[in-house]
Amino acid sequence: MSRNDWTLSPEHVDLRRPAVEPRPVEVGALPQRLTLDLSRTALVAVDLQNDFCHPHGWLASIGVDVSGAAGPIGALAAVLPELRAAGVPVVWLTWGTRPDRANLPPGVRHVYDPDGASTGIGDPLPGGSRVLQLGSWSAGLVDELVPEPADLHVAKHRMSGFPDTPLDSVLRNLRVDTLLFAGLNTDQCVYATLVDAANLGYDVVLVEDLCGTTSPGFCTDATLYNVRQCFGFTTTSAELRAGLDT
């Protein structure tokens, strides 16, 4: 039975959802220590894809140093089994654009193809894959991160994972209130999705070492400041695992 079900019979419909027992854990965080209810928490992992992290992916092919993007992969792979064992749903939120790019407005395309002649979203790469195209190697998760059958996948088409996607519906059906954020880039897609989540009423917690970026360091500093000051909280995977261990 899912977290959001009725009990049905031919003669009767029980509108009560399944009871979910609270599972509180304490986690060190900023600006204050947190108590998380694991039964109402999900992990949203953003854009941990070949085009952003792999040495043969899109960013590397256009000369971007992707070492910062690959940084959080090992830490996330280490904590995922503990989160799953604690019943925390994992949502993989990744760029996955239509082959015809019909729902991409020019502003989104311009960010990645500023002169109209560069390699942008949907364009072919030397290996034959197309940049961030749904179903392609480019848009696939990096090999080090292996989804489980119970994980959920949502394709996005903007910096934020909420516009023009089913992300909010998926999270509402999971009946979660608190979102842990991991992924790339800390100051771009992770931050944009986190801000939209906060504006929709979710509790948001950015897990610092589970996020990475190819931007300069001051971008991360500003993002962490803004998350703590305006939207939610930050923690680390060590603090999260310490809470899970108790």
Side-chain angles (χ1 to χ4, degrees):
M1 181 177 288
S2 78
R3 294 175 175 224
N4 192 20
D5 265 337
W6 297 337
T7 302
L8 304 175
S9 73
E11 298 83 19
H12 180 244
V13 176
D14 187 339
L15 299 183
R16 292 173 296 173
R17 272 63 171 176
V20 179
E21 188 72 22
R23 284 175 289 139
V25 297
E26 286 200 14
V27 174
L30 292 172
Q32 294 137 306
R33 189 170 182 83
L34 296 176
T35 296
L36 304 178
D37 182 357
L38 297 180
S39 67
R40 303 300 297 266
T41 298
L43 173 76
V44 179
V46 182
D47 290 356
L48 290 155
Q49 299 168 266
N50 289 317
D51 262 352
F52 296 127
C53 304
H54 197 282
H56 297 147
W58 172 41
L59 290 190
S61 77
I62 60 175
V64 176
D65 178 3
V66 297
S67 58
I73 293 172
L76 179 58
V79 76
L80 279 174
E82 297 180 48
L83 288 170
R84 291 188 180 112
V88 175
V90 176
V91 180
W92 299 101
L93 177 66
T94 53
W95 280 89
T97 59
R98 294 166 52 104
D100 60 10
R101 297 174 280 193
N103 63 338
L104 288 186
V108 174
R109 297 179 66 173
H110 174 264
V111 170
Y112 302 104
D113 185 8
D115 59 3
S118 302
T119 302
I121 295 175
D123 291 333
L125 291 170
S129 189
R130 288 186 175 270
V131 174
L132 296 176
Q133 183 172 295
L134 186 64
S136 70
W137 174 86
S138 292
L141 292 174
V142 294
D143 288 344
E144 297 91 335
L145 297 172
V146 181
E148 293 287 329
D151 294 352
L152 297 108
H153 300 261
V154 176
K156 69 184 180 71
H157 327 287
R158 305 285 190 275
M159 290 283 189
S160 170
F162 284 98
D164 197 23
T165 81
L167 179 60
D168 190 46
S169 296
V170 168
L171 295 172
R172 301 292 180 192
N173 273 310
L174 289 172
R175 301 182 70 201
V176 299
D177 303 313
T178 300
L179 304 180
L180 305 173
F181 279 92
L184 309 172
N185 281 302
T186 311
D187 54 314
Q188 297 174 23
C189 291
V190 173
Y191 184 60
T193 307
L194 179 148
V195 170
D196 278 354
N199 288 334
L200 287 168
Y202 293 98
D203 310 322
V204 296
V205 184
L206 187 148
V207 188
E208 295 181 39
D209 59 314
L210 301 187
C211 297
T213 187
T214 57
S215 302
F218 64 81
C219 296
T220 296
D221 293 341
T223 299
L224 297 178
Y225 173 85
N226 282 336
V227 170
R228 297 165 187 159
Q229 181 72 17
C230 303
F231 300 107
F233 306 89
T234 68
T235 189
T236 66
S237 65
E239 294 285 3
L240 190 58
R241 296 178 80 174
L244 293 171
D245 287 343
T246 60

